[in-house]
Amino acid sequence: MSVWNPDNIRDVAESAGIANLNNDVTENLARDVEYRIAQVLEEALKFMRHSRRTLLTTQDIAQALRVLDVEPLYGYESTRPLRFGEASLGPGQPLFYVEDEEVDFEKLINAPLPRVPREVSFTAHWLAVEGVQPSIPQNPTAADSRNLELMSKGPNANSTLAAMSGSGNVAVKPLVKHVLSKELQLYFEKVCNAFLDESSEEYRTSGYSSLREDPGLHQLVPYFVQFISEKVTHGMKDIFILTQVMHMAEALVQNKSLYVDPYVASLVPPILTCLIGRQLGGNAELSEQFALRDLSASLLGLIAKKYSPSSMTLKPRLVRSCLKTFLDPSKPFGAHYGAIIGIHAVGGAEAVRVLVLPNVPTYGNLLKDGMADESARRPEAERVFGALLSVLATLREGRMTLANGDSGIVTDEVRQRLHKAVGEFIGSKISELGEVQLAHAILDS
């Protein structure tokens, strides 16, 4: 049985001159009318949602009729709400109608004419120059980008947040369709498989060499960057994968034919993860973990040297991230090791003198506890101590060497000054090792 009243069908049939309509025909027509109305409403609701509205208007109905190839209704499109009046034809027979607005012709004639619309014109502007979006009024601002980041995205996104942001039930299509040739797709798969192939070192070397020297890989750069990020995110327990993706990042940066500047912001986070991450490689050997941190530090230094001229804030941000980890006593010694060599790799001896040296006395107390005989963290603490001495040794670069007659023994006066400069524990270790040059470099800094 149809929800639509069959009596309405009979009334329309009688108005068209058709009398005594069969009951079966009336029922089938009522069902068809119900289906057609539901179809129109479904299309109209789509227009309403895409317009980011919650109120269905007559214009939505008209647009839905056009989409369904039906002649739309005329005379009901209005931006003002319709007012309905009620009239009675008899007992129990109300009739609703649209009230016509009374217009005063005198006011209408004397009303000022509307403004003449501006002529249609076209302008051109640069959306991006070599992947970098210029700051011009036609392009979205940083505030607009932040608003897009706050919007609810994905299939599991909160529907309430999506509705508040005005993006509920809206399918967003990418502005640019990026098409890769089959050759580039095959090359991408082959290179990624080569880097992750543990059985053949020659295969990995070939992939590394190709990625570092081939000039026609511009379209694949964002895909390689995304691949590196995903492997670091999901492969934190596999030291081999982490090492290989760092080699892949190194090859991308060393390729002189590729323009990697727009992707540096996406490439740095996985490198920092492999440098100052808490746990790398799961149960991998300590030497492999620290070798990965050394590789990440050298890669970070290469990026800072190559791309800092085009981004003045790159070096400060990298050094700030490493310094924050170095000053956090809750971090493991492995992360401190990566932070120390990372500061030196990015900022050089000047960063060591300004950022590391003033914090050595306080850090020496933490290092002393870690290097105790009964401490389980002693192997990592010894590595950190070696890295600390290594970066502090760079402070003597450019200084004149001591006379040949120097005995290599730190005097009491120098030892006392050294204890004040780097703390008692670190100062005692330097004195025991007979690092006279290092002692004088620290005191002169």
Side-chain angles (χ1 to χ4, degrees), residues 133-154:
Q133 179 177 283
S135 298
I136 56 178
Q138 290 83 357
N139 287 335
T141 61
D144 297 333
S145 301
R146 285 194 295 270
N147 292 336
L148 290 176
E149 293 175 359
L150 295 175
M151 289 171 60
S152 182
K153 304 180 181 70

Side-chain angles (χ1 to χ4, degrees), residues 45-56:
L45 288 174
K46 291 181 182 179
F47 283 99
M48 180 192 73
R49 295 191 187 101
H50 283 285
S51 301
R52 297 183 179 181
R53 288 185 280 101
T54 56
L55 180 65
L56 190 67

Side-chain angles (χ1 to χ4, degrees), residues 21 41 54 56 75 90 117 133 148 152 177 197 221 241 257 282 297 335 392 394 412 441:
L21 196 64
L41 286 176
T54 56
L56 190 67
Q133 179 177 283
L148 290 176
S152 182
K177 187 177 181 181
D197 187 6
V221 173
I241 291 180
S257 303
L392 290 176
T394 60
D412 293 338

Side-chain angles (χ1 to χ4, degrees), residues 115-409:
R115 297 180 60 182
V116 178
R118 298 178 60 183
E119 295 184 0
V120 178
S121 61
F122 298 92
T123 58
H125 71 276
W126 287 102
L127 179 63
V129 180
E130 293 186 348
V132 180
Q133 179 177 283
S135 298
I136 56 178
Q138 290 83 357
N139 287 335
T141 61
D144 297 333
S145 301
R146 285 194 295 270
N147 292 336
L148 290 176
E149 293 175 359
L150 295 175
M151 289 171 60
S152 182
K153 304 180 181 70
N156 299 324
N158 191 325
S159 57
T160 304
L161 294 177
M164 292 175 62
S165 62
S167 61
N169 299 325
V170 178
V172 180
K173 295 183 179 180
L175 297 179
V176 180
K177 187 177 181 181
H178 202 181
V179 180
L180 290 178
S181 63
K182 292 183 179 180
E183 292 78 6
L184 282 178
Q185 295 179 26
L186 183 61
Y187 176 86
F188 178 77
E189 295 177 1
K190 291 292 184 181
V191 171
C192 292
N193 293 334
F195 273 93
L196 302 182
D197 187 6
E198 299 185 39
S199 60
S200 176
E201 184 177 356
E202 182 180 357
Y203 192 28
R204 295 199 305 270
T205 305
S206 300
Y208 176 80
S209 176
S210 175
L211 192 59
R212 184 180 57 183
E213 299 175 359
D214 285 351
L217 306 178
H218 302 279
Q219 285 186 292
L220 291 178
V221 173
Y223 296 94
F224 280 122
V225 173
Q226 183 181 8
F227 177 80
I228 293 170
S229 180
E230 289 179 354
K231 288 302 177 182
V232 170
T233 303
H234 302 292
M236 291 297 293
K237 295 184 179 181
D238 195 329
I239 194 69
F240 175 78
I241 291 180
L242 296 177
T243 303
Q244 294 309 312
V245 293
M246 287 300 102
H247 283 301
M248 179 181 289
E250 182 184 21
L252 285 175
V253 174
Q254 290 182 347
N255 193 324
K256 298 179 180 179
S257 303
L258 298 182
Y259 185 69
V260 192
D261 294 58
Y263 310 101
V264 171
S266 301
L267 194 60
V268 165
I271 299 175
L272 280 176
T273 301
C274 293
L275 178 66
I276 56 178
R278 278 186 169 272
Q279 185 68 27
L280 301 177
N283 298 324
E285 296 183 1
L286 200 62
S287 59
E288 294 180 344
Q289 296 182 21
F290 282 89
L292 174 60
R293 297 185 192 274
D294 290 334
L295 174 62
S296 303
S298 63
L299 179 55
L300 204 65
L302 179 63
I303 290 177
K305 180 180 179 181
K306 186 173 182 180
Y307 301 109
S308 57
S310 60
S311 177
M312 302 303 294
T313 61
L314 178 60
K315 277 189 177 182
R317 284 184 292 152
L318 295 178
V319 172
R320 192 182 301 116
S321 299
C322 294
L323 182 62
K324 183 179 179 181
T325 301
F326 175 60
L327 298 179
D328 189 354
S330 63
K331 298 286 186 179
F333 281 118
H336 291 164
Y337 175 88
I340 292 171
I341 62 176
I343 292 174
H344 175 257
V346 175
E350 183 63 19
V352 174
R353 183 182 65 83
V354 176
L355 301 176
V356 177
L357 185 58
N359 297 292
V360 169
T362 305
Y363 187 76
N365 299 327
L366 180 66
L367 200 59
K368 180 180 179 181
D369 297 336
M371 293 183 65
D373 293 337
E374 65 275 5
S375 175
R377 301 184 299 168
R378 181 181 176 87
E380 293 186 355
E382 290 179 348
R383 295 263 187 169
V384 176
F385 177 72
L388 199 56
L389 292 185
S390 178
V391 299
L392 290 176
T394 60
L395 298 176
R396 60 189 178 189
E397 294 178 358
R399 296 181 68 256
M400 296 180 60
T401 57
L402 296 179
N404 294 333
D406 184 78
S407 59
I409 300 175

